[in-house]
Amino acid sequence: MSGDSMEPEFHDVQIAWVLQQESVANGEIDIFALNGEAYIKKLQNDKDGIFLISLNEKYAPIKVSENDRLDIFGKVLGKSDASAITGHCR
């Protein structure tokens, strides 16, 4: 991960563990591509439309319009610090 938009739950340079799936539930934290740009966000789908929501309140929700391309990669199951993994991979 890169950035602070999902703090305090997820931090810069952590690794997200993702269950690959084509559909996700409202309110879940998932991995998306919106018009080719990758995001880890919470999905909000309600009467006002579809939004990608940051946990860090300093970031506004991202509205997904009908002309946007939204690809779903899967549901975030957990996280690890990169340092915990890099020492074990060769």
Side-chain angles (χ1 to χ4, degrees), residues 53-90:
I53 307 295
S54 297
L55 298 181
N56 187 332
E57 293 180 1
K58 76 179 186 180
Y59 294 94
I62 301 168
K63 183 166 178 49
V64 180
S65 74
E66 61 185 50
N67 296 322
D68 288 327
R69 178 176 174 154
L70 181 66
D71 296 303
I72 299 168
F73 292 108
K75 176 182 176 179
V76 175
L77 300 177
K79 62 190 175 193
S80 294
D81 289 331
S83 61
I85 294 174
T86 56
H88 298 286
C89 298
R90 296 187 194 263

Side-chain angles (χ1 to χ4, degrees), residues 3-4 8 11 15 17-18 26 33 35-36 50-51 64-65 67 70 72 81-82 84 87:
D4 66 349
H11 302 284
I15 295 172
W17 298 102
V18 180
N26 195 31
N35 301 322
I50 298 173
F51 296 87
V64 180
S65 74
N67 296 322
L70 181 66
I72 299 168
D81 289 331

